[in-house]
Amino acid sequence: MSASSTTLPIAKAITAGLRDAMTADDHVLLMGEDIGVLGGVFRVTDGLHAEFGSQRVVDTPLAEAAIVGTALGLAVRGYRPVVEIQFDGFVFPAFNQITTQVAKMHSRTSGAVNLPMVIRIPHGGGIGAVEHHSESPEALFAHTAGLRILAPATAQDAYWMTRQAIESEDPVILLEPKRRYWVKGDVDPDRRPELSPWEAKIVRPGTDATLLAWGPSMPLALEAAEAAAADGIELEVIDARSLAPVDFPTIAESVRRTGRLLIVHEAPVLGGLGGEIAARISEQCFYHLEAPVLRVGGYHLPYPPARMEHAYLPDLDRVLDGVDRLLEH
């Protein structure tokens, strides 16, 4: 840890990343509902309006399609807008803008136009919220060519992925694990990570099976690895970090060593991103697999009321059951 390191909650690490990006480049501006004077519903932009003013921290109407469409126009004109979608379930009015305009502009212009814009989305469940506040829509966007998707799980990644997403010449969706917003971790703003934001990271070595997760599911994956270790089972835990592109080489290399893969995510298993990863790894690692690739995720149901979400979200028992099923083969 360097002298510049500090301990911050994930939410405040994102705040620091936004502040430093805005200080470094006058073309960076923020847009979203209640992000100005209020500082956002999660207070991620707290203090930035007072520091940078209303021309660079813009309170918008409740109109997600207009917010994203305006940001697209600003990006075309040389700005680097960072859009906040207040909750994951509110992104769908902007889905057309994101998938048919933002994702396709670079290709449509044969590479003449870049869109350096970021769409921040607090995602996932576990906060006891009402309907439309606990979605995990990553597969819908990962399916759309032309978008990059990052899913930080630690304060250090939250800071640097915010900076790196803003620096990217491509549109980036930043999926922020809102259930973990106030989990603290070390952040070093002066030491740029050697690992690319588009690469997965092995966060716990192991030999018996590979456990892949991202964003809000990472603490659960690490908890499962600790519990399995108590029974003599060593799980290799990988944080996917980037969901578009997915770092298949790192995942495949691990699976060739362990022979088994379990994927954990909050989104429904049916049609979830874990299905694509499972198919690709089954193809690339066929002769190394000792068991079918398994997935643990949400059920094929609308996200339930707050009092029932504990039965919907993956938990330690469901993950360890998946590990047991892997090892039965």
Side-chain angles (χ1 to χ4, degrees):
M1 186 183 301
S2 72
S4 61
S5 293
T6 187
T7 300
L8 293 172
I10 287 176
K12 293 305 177 184
I14 297 168
T15 308
L18 294 171
R19 176 181 290 109
D20 290 349
M22 296 179 77
T23 301
D25 186 349
D26 291 341
H27 291 86
V28 178
L29 56 88
L30 314 183
M31 302 171 59
E33 299 161 7
D34 299 320
I35 70 165
V37 176
L38 180 65
V41 293
F42 294 105
R43 303 300 186 264
V44 172
T45 53
D46 191 30
L48 299 181
H49 182 271
E51 189 170 346
F52 295 99
S54 59
Q55 295 298 305
R56 295 187 66 196
V57 183
V58 183
D59 274 321
T60 66
L62 276 67
E64 286 79 10
I67 295 168
V68 172
T70 302
L72 186 156
L74 286 165
V76 169
R77 297 298 296 171
Y79 291 91
R80 292 182 177 270
V82 181
V83 167
E84 178 182 298
I85 302 296
Q86 200 169 68
F87 283 90
D88 34 40
F90 299 175
V91 75
F92 298 110
F95 189 78
N96 179 55
Q97 286 283 359
I98 295 170
T99 58
T100 67
Q101 305 300 330
V102 172
K104 293 178 170 56
M105 186 64 71
H106 185 71
S107 175
R108 182 182 298 145
T109 61
S110 299
V113 174
N114 293 323
L115 280 185
M117 59 181 289
V118 178
I119 302 172
R120 296 179 42 242
I121 307 177
H123 85 124
I127 64 168
V130 296
E131 190 179 15
H132 308 310
H133 290 66
S134 302
E135 308 297 325
S136 298
E138 58 263 35
L140 300 176
F141 296 112
H143 181 73
T144 303
L147 300 172
R148 293 180 179 267
I149 306 173
L150 294 175
T154 66
Q156 175 75 347
D157 269 355
Y159 173 84
W160 276 109
M161 284 184 175
T162 299
R163 295 290 308 272
Q164 291 161 324
I166 294 170
E167 293 167 358
S168 174
E169 294 300 321
D170 299 318
V172 179
I173 293 177
L174 189 65
L175 296 176
E176 301 170 0
K178 61 176 178 284
R179 179 166 35 153
R180 313 292 179 184
Y181 263 154
W182 303 107
V183 176
K184 293 182 178 180
D186 292 331
V187 176
D188 189 343
D190 292 335
R191 181 172 295 177
R192 183 175 288 267
E194 295 181 5
L195 192 68
S196 163
W198 320 115
E199 293 180 276
K201 182 178 182 179
I202 297 174
V203 296
R204 180 187 173 110
T207 56
D208 296 319
T210 300
L211 183 53
L212 175 71
W214 54 82
S217 297
M218 278 306 300
L220 174 60
L222 290 168
E223 182 186 7
E226 290 287 341
D231 291 332
I233 301 167
E234 293 299 328
L235 300 179
E236 180 147 292
V237 180
I238 298 179
D239 181 353
R241 302 176 74 243
S242 173
L243 306 184
V246 173
D247 181 6
F248 286 107
T250 294
I251 301 168
E253 182 183 356
S254 173
V255 173
R256 291 188 185 106
R257 285 188 281 100
T258 67
R260 295 173 172 86
L261 174 62
L262 178 65
I263 304 166
V264 179
H265 55 62
E266 289 192 10
V269 167
L270 182 65
L273 186 57
E276 173 61 26
I277 296 172
R280 192 79 66 92
I281 294 302
S282 295
E283 178 183 344
Q284 295 180 1
C285 304
F286 182 79
Y287 293 106
H288 295 83
L289 287 171
E290 301 289 343
V293 178
L294 299 181
R295 293 166 288 156
V296 174
Y299 299 108
H300 189 50
L301 296 166
Y303 195 90
R307 292 183 180 180
M308 298 176 63
E309 67 179 349
H310 67 280
Y312 174 89
L313 294 170
D315 60 14
L316 182 60
D317 287 341
R318 288 174 61 194
V319 175
L320 291 178
D321 177 69
V323 173
D324 289 342
R325 286 187 287 135
L326 275 181
L327 296 174
E328 285 175 356
H329 292 272

